[in-house]
């Protein structure tokens, strides 16, 4: 059924990394369902108007113009991406009128140890006060992200105006698939945007990227480069310092751990690695987003996991093929189905 209602997206388009990549993929996927109007919200998190390149490319492909700082956004369905962008202000600067507001929670509400990751109540309160709608929903992006939301709501009663969608608002992962290497070597890589929260302590990095590995490629190592870190056995590149195809050609494994006080809500870089034919090794909470497609290990166990797969190329191949099959659950087609289940009533599509 073709939707009869209108759809508007609200996002700060300057967000780097996963949020802008997720929004770009959603816009491309939803083009097959209905037109979407995209509103750019100029929050205090960033300066200037440099749109994230992946989002700019999607907008150009679709022939869509950003509507900057509209005082009011009115549509049957409004999707607001990443409420954490409001953490440096007290008012979102926009009024929203809609039948259903969906707030996609790209940032976990709680950190490991249950500390609040940002002023969640303040950010949600801004949206609550700014919105006229009979239905306001929080949309988790992964199982771990969902649990953080539910735990936060349990600790903060009185938020009855917000419901939680019964299904995850997962990232679309339609990356081109590469076949696994028939002869994997101990070539390890890691990539993410720079940021202290994205990287584990240096002692953990030394465990994961040791001198005995054949290669250790760190993409997004801006802080290490700036500090002049002395690790001759590491190849350090700044964020976007390598094309991803170049990066993946240099490694056979993606090893990904973060700071102890941080967990990824989804970890899009790991989906990219799986699609590129590389086994991903990470912690249990982060791996949960991929339903068995990522290998769970502690930093102390990474050597053994890699040695086992290097020594058994068929096992390496079988793991990659199975992981890529699980990634199919994050396709554009799967997202469109999930989108219509969650948002269909607001835009005239029966559930």
């Amino acid at each position: 059924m073709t939707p009869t209602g209108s759809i508007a997206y609200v996002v700060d388009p300057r967000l780097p990394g996963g949020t802008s990549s997720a929004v770009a993929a959603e816009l491309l996927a939803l083009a097959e369902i209905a037109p979407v109007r995209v509103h750019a919200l100029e929050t205090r998190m960033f300066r200037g108007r440099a749109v994230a390149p992946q989002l700019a490319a999607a907008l150009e492909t679709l022939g869509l113009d950003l509507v900057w700082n509209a005082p009011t956004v009115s549509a049957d369905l409004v999707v607001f991406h990443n409420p954490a962008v409001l953490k440096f202000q007290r008012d979102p600067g926009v009024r929203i009128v809609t039948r259903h507001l969906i707030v996609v929670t790209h940032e976990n509400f709680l950190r490991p140890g249950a500390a609040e990751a940002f002023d969640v109540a303040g950010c949600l309160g801004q949206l609550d006060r700014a919105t006229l709608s009979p239905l306001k929903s929080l949309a988790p992006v992964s199982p771990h992200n969902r649990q953080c939301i539910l735990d936060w709501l349990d600790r903060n009663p009185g938020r009855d105006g917000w419901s939680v969608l019964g299904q995850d608002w997962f990232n679309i992962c339609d990356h081109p698939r590469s076949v696994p290497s028939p002869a994997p070597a101990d070539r390890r890589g890691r990539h993410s945007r720079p940021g202290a929260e994205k990287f584990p302590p240096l002692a953990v990095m030394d465990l994961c990227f040791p001198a005995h590995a054949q290669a250790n490629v760190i993409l997004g190592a801006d802080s290490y480069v700036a500090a002049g870190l002395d690790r001759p056995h590491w190849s350090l590149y700044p964020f976007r310092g390598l094309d991803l195809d170049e990066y993946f050609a240099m490694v056979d494994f993606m090893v990904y751990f973060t700071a102890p006080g941080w967990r990824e809500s989804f970890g899009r870089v790991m989906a990219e690695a799986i699609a590129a034919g590389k086994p991903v090794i990470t912690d249990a909470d982060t791996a949960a987003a991929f339903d068995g497609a990522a290998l769970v290990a502690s930093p102390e166990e990474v050597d053994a996991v890699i040695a086992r797969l290097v020594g058994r190329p068929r096992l390496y191949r079988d793991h990659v093929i199975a992981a890529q099959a699980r990634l199919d659950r994050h396709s554009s087609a799967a997202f469109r189905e999930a989108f219509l289940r969650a948002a269909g009533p607001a835009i005239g599509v029966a559930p």
Side-chain angles (χ1 to χ4, degrees):
M1 180 183 295
T2 302
T4 57
S6 55
I7 304 171
Y9 267 52
V10 180
V11 64
D12 190 324
R14 302 164 296 175
L15 278 161
T19 296
S20 288
S21 294
V23 174
E26 287 180 27
L27 294 176
L28 292 168
L30 294 181
E32 296 189 18
I33 293 179
V36 178
R37 195 165 181 81
V38 185
H39 290 266
L41 189 65
E42 201 166 359
T43 70
R44 293 182 182 175
M45 183 173 281
F46 305 102
R47 294 180 179 178
R49 287 193 174 180
V51 176
Q54 59 272 48
L55 182 54
L59 292 168
E60 183 177 3
T61 296
L62 296 170
L64 294 176
D65 293 324
L66 282 172
V67 181
W68 284 90
N69 301 320
T72 302
V73 173
S74 180
D76 293 293
L77 171 72
V78 173
V79 180
F80 188 103
H81 272 271
N82 204 343
V85 298
L86 301 174
K87 62 186 177 183
F88 298 118
Q89 56 201 74
R90 295 185 177 181
D91 185 278
V94 65
R95 296 296 173 261
I96 298 171
V97 181
T98 183
R99 295 177 62 192
H100 190 178
L101 171 67
I102 294 179
V103 176
V104 185
T105 59
H106 289 272
E107 302 290 345
N108 291 329
F109 285 7
L110 301 175
R111 298 187 186 277
E116 193 166 272
F118 58 96
D119 182 8
V120 179
C123 294
L124 294 184
Q126 289 182 53
L127 289 171
D128 198 20
R129 293 188 297 273
T131 302
L132 178 62
S133 178
L135 184 57
K136 300 169 187 168
S137 300
L138 301 173
V141 297
S142 70
H144 180 63
N145 187 239
R146 173 181 297 278
Q147 192 58 55
C148 288
I149 293 171
L150 295 176
D151 290 347
W152 185 88
L153 289 171
D154 284 344
R155 290 168 46 178
N156 292 270
R159 307 288 169 182
D160 297 335
W162 294 98
S163 61
V164 180
L165 290 185
Q167 61 187 31
D168 290 344
W169 194 276
F170 56 84
N171 277 220
I172 297 170
C173 302
D174 274 344
H175 315 294
R177 306 298 169 82
S178 299
V179 298
S181 170
D186 188 351
R187 303 190 304 157
R188 311 180 189 197
R190 185 195 191 284
H191 78 101
S192 71
R193 65 170 173 79
E197 76 282 1
K198 292 285 187 177
F199 284 78
L202 197 53
V204 172
M205 289 291 290
D206 284 331
L207 276 173
C208 295
F209 301 98
H212 63 256
Q214 290 178 243
N216 295 293
V217 183
I218 316 298
L219 179 56
D222 302 57
S223 61
Y224 294 157
V225 173
L229 182 69
D230 182 24
R231 291 294 188 278
H233 55 285
W234 290 4
S235 298
L236 302 176
Y237 297 90
F239 186 53
R240 298 186 181 132
L242 282 176
D243 180 85
L244 283 185
D245 289 339
E246 292 179 89
Y247 162 74
F248 284 125
M250 299 165 69
V251 305
D252 289 310
F253 295 88
M254 169 84 159
V255 183
Y256 193 87
F257 296 92
T258 57
W262 175 268
R263 287 294 181 274
E264 294 285 0
S265 56
F266 180 78
R268 190 176 184 85
V269 293
M270 285 168 279
E272 293 169 348
I274 292 167
K278 315 300 176 181
V280 171
I281 305 171
T282 189
D283 64 89
D285 286 339
T286 304
F290 299 101
D291 192 27
L295 297 166
V296 175
S298 67
E300 294 79 6
E301 296 168 329
V302 168
D303 271 358
V305 172
I306 290 176
R308 179 169 177 259
L309 291 175
V310 168
R312 300 175 64 184
R314 180 172 294 180
L315 183 63
Y316 178 99
R317 180 202 65 190
D318 291 347
H319 168 76
V320 169
I321 291 171
Q324 290 179 338
R326 290 188 179 94
L327 206 60
D328 290 341
R329 301 173 190 178
H330 296 267
S331 68
S332 292
F335 178 82
R336 284 190 290 269
E337 292 177 6
F339 176 89
L340 290 176
R341 286 195 298 271
I347 54 176
V349 177

